[in-house]
Amino acid sequence: MHKILLLAAVALFATPAAAETCSIPPLKPIPPIGCKDLLPKCICDSGGECHWIFECIRKGDSG
């Protein structure tokens, strides 16, 4: 029983990859010329630092 509680505590306080996320996305900027829209994406490095980028959806792309 103690082993199960210990494993649960370790799993709870461990830093899984899923915990590496961005907060609420910032306001979307005006799309630059050639982009019909901007898609927000959360990018995380191996150290767990995350930030938002905006990917251009080109006017000719379907989607």
Side-chain angles (χ1 to χ4, degrees):
M1 180 69 165
H2 292 293
K3 288 183 182 181
I4 293 172
L5 291 175
L6 179 61
L7 288 174
V10 168
L12 180 66
F13 293 109
T15 311
E20 299 173 352
T21 60
C22 295
S23 60
I24 299 170
L27 293 175
K28 185 171 27 174
I30 297 171
I33 296 173
C35 298
K36 68 178 176 184
D37 199 6
L38 295 173
L39 180 68
K41 289 196 173 191
C42 179
I43 303 296
C44 299
D45 64 16
S46 60
E49 294 292 322
C50 300
H51 64 277
W52 287 101
I53 64 165
F54 287 93
E55 184 177 289
C56 172
I57 306 297
R58 300 209 181 272
K59 290 185 179 184
D61 293 348
S62 62

